[in-house]
Amino acid sequence: MANPRANVFLLVNLGCEMLYVIDQRLKAQNIAEDKSVQVIHDITTVMLEPKFIDSLLNGSKHTNAQLLTAEHCKFMLNDIATCSLMRLDEQSMAKLWNLMTMVYKWQLFVSRHQHHLLEITFRHLEAINRLYPDAKRHMLIDFTKNTLLDFWNASGEEAQQSIYQTNRAWLQCFNTKISLLIRLGFQAMDGSFIPDVDQDYFEDYVQSAGDNIYIKSAEQQEQRAKREPNSMDQLAAQLNINPSSGEDLQPINARQFQQQFEQAFGNVLFDEPTSTSSSSGCEFVQLQPTTPSGECKGGTSILNQNLLDLYSKMH
């Protein structure tokens, strides 16, 4: 039976995955660091605002409490994502939603015990704490962790198992193919997950589920490039991106190759697997500026109240 106490874990974990993608896009779009810092800090502040977290926890205890629908959850996270200096068009939000839900679904797929849910949640929170860290956000994230830990311990074994299974069941309807997961060998051509991957890095990803998979994957690629300096040339040759055999072959530039690959295969990164691509799928989430920087901080409390009102109406 669906347990409404799962709501806070759904929103926090999906929200952290959302921050990972937004951070990647801020860097990729060369957004000024001061604006990037404000975006990340504003979203974190709104998402983990104590009154909002408290409403999720206490609201779930009511006899008429309901589990959040995917539509409600997506609406709330979209509001949180656009609380700062940026906005997302409908297509970008859809792509962002695909990444958030499928990566979180994979994390729970490779989990084996109810307590892994709490571990994944804490890794998410610790990872967003490393995004432009500052003392205020550190205190907020620590407070959230302590609040969730108290809630979890007070729930008891049976309720913990129910919360865990509700999170897993809630994600079962999502089956989008994600290029990063396919490239790592974690997802099959039909969108299903592969339980045992014959790669030396698989267990590391499983043990660190909840960490920023985009940063982890990029670091893995860099290490592989150092070990196998010719791997990019071999990949380019397989894709017929190198010059024809009648011309002198030049060493391929990795950045140029990635741009050429994305131009050639950009339209299939979500609909079709691209196991050889270095792309994560984040590039399809486009951020656009919205309000002047001075307007944002005054608006976070208003947005928090709107979220509280919305959540109370759902219950």
Side-chain angles (χ1 to χ4, degrees):
M1 183 176 178
N3 190 335
R5 294 188 176 193
N7 286 338
V8 67
F9 292 96
L10 289 168
L11 275 167
V12 169
N13 284 296
L14 290 172
C16 289
E17 285 295 328
M18 176 177 73
L19 274 167
Y20 294 168
V21 178
I22 289 172
D23 176 60
Q24 293 292 305
R25 294 314 302 152
L26 290 167
K27 290 182 172 68
Q29 293 178 214
N30 296 316
I31 304 300
E33 184 171 335
D34 62 330
K35 289 185 172 58
S36 296
V37 169
Q38 185 171 348
V39 168
I40 297 298
H41 285 192
D42 286 344
I43 293 174
T44 305
T45 300
V46 170
M47 182 175 73
L48 302 182
E49 211 282 329
K51 288 183 180 179
F52 179 53
I53 296 296
D54 188 60
S55 73
L56 292 171
L57 297 176
N58 291 326
S60 66
K61 298 175 184 177
H62 296 161
T63 54
N64 62 340
Q66 297 178 6
L67 184 67
L68 285 171
T69 65
E71 182 181 357
H72 281 141
C73 191
K74 185 176 181 180
F75 181 83
M76 294 173 79
L77 287 169
N78 181 62
D79 268 10
I80 293 170
T82 54
C83 74
S84 191
L85 309 177
M86 54 162 233
R87 64 183 177 86
L88 292 159
D89 60 27
E90 187 175 343
Q91 182 179 19
S92 290
M93 186 59 202
K95 300 300 185 184
L96 176 58
W97 180 249
N98 287 339
L99 288 165
M100 291 154 51
T101 52
M102 291 305 294
V103 172
Y104 183 41
K105 181 180 178 180
W106 177 81
Q107 291 163 356
L108 292 184
F109 173 78
V110 297
S111 66
R112 293 292 177 265
H113 193 275
Q114 63 207 50
H115 294 296
H116 290 165
L117 172 62
L118 191 65
E119 292 175 9
I120 289 168
T121 306
F122 276 22
R123 286 195 201 100
H124 272 129
L125 291 168
E126 288 159 5
I128 65 169
N129 195 25
R130 294 191 290 270
L131 301 177
Y132 306 110
D134 73 343
K136 185 177 179 181
R137 285 178 71 249
H138 181 77
M139 290 177 62
L140 179 62
I141 289 169
D142 271 358
F143 182 82
T144 303
K145 288 169 65 178
N146 289 332
T147 302
L148 291 177
L149 181 60
D150 290 344
F151 175 75
W152 183 259
N153 289 335
S155 296
E157 287 286 326
E158 186 176 345
Q160 290 168 3
Q161 179 67 17
S162 176
I163 292 168
Y164 170 63
Q165 293 298 341
T166 298
N167 269 258
R168 296 189 67 167
W170 191 90
L171 293 159
Q172 287 309 303
C173 64
F174 304 108
N175 200 41
T176 309
K177 289 176 281 187
I178 302 298
S179 60
L180 174 61
L181 297 177
I182 292 170
R183 176 169 57 78
L184 289 169
F186 300 167
Q187 191 177 24
M189 304 282 274
D190 62 358
S192 63
F193 294 134
I194 299 171
D196 295 306
V197 178
D198 187 20
Q199 294 288 348
D200 55 1
Y201 56 75
F202 177 66
E203 191 60 28
D204 181 36
Y205 276 87
V206 171
Q207 294 300 322
S208 61
D211 278 350
N212 192 323
I213 195 172
Y214 308 102
I215 292 177
K216 192 176 187 68
S217 174
E219 290 173 348
Q220 179 197 351
Q221 292 255 342
E222 289 177 6
Q223 293 171 1
R224 181 182 176 186
K226 290 177 182 178
R227 293 195 308 267
E228 305 172 26
N230 296 323
S231 60
M232 293 296 284
D233 294 321
Q234 294 167 0
L235 177 56
Q238 293 171 7
L239 297 169
N240 296 319
I241 293 178
N242 272 340
S244 63
S245 58
E247 301 176 14
D248 293 335
L249 296 180
Q250 300 295 326
I252 191 165
N253 177 279
R255 181 178 294 275
Q256 181 184 17
F257 165 72
Q258 181 172 345
Q259 290 174 345
Q260 291 175 336
F261 190 93
E262 290 174 2
Q263 288 173 1
F265 294 94
N267 63 321
V268 296
L269 282 174
F270 278 88
D271 297 326
E272 296 296 336
T274 53
S275 58
T276 54
S277 171
S278 61
S279 166
S280 65
C282 292
E283 64 276 6
F284 280 85
V285 179
Q286 295 299 316
L287 310 181
Q288 299 173 353
T290 174
T291 60
S293 59
E295 295 179 14
C296 179
K297 294 191 176 181
T300 54
S301 59
I302 296 173
L303 177 60
N304 274 125
Q305 188 59 51
N306 290 343
L307 288 169
L308 288 169
D309 292 344
L310 173 65
Y311 187 72
S312 63
K313 287 177 182 176
M314 286 189 277
H315 296 80

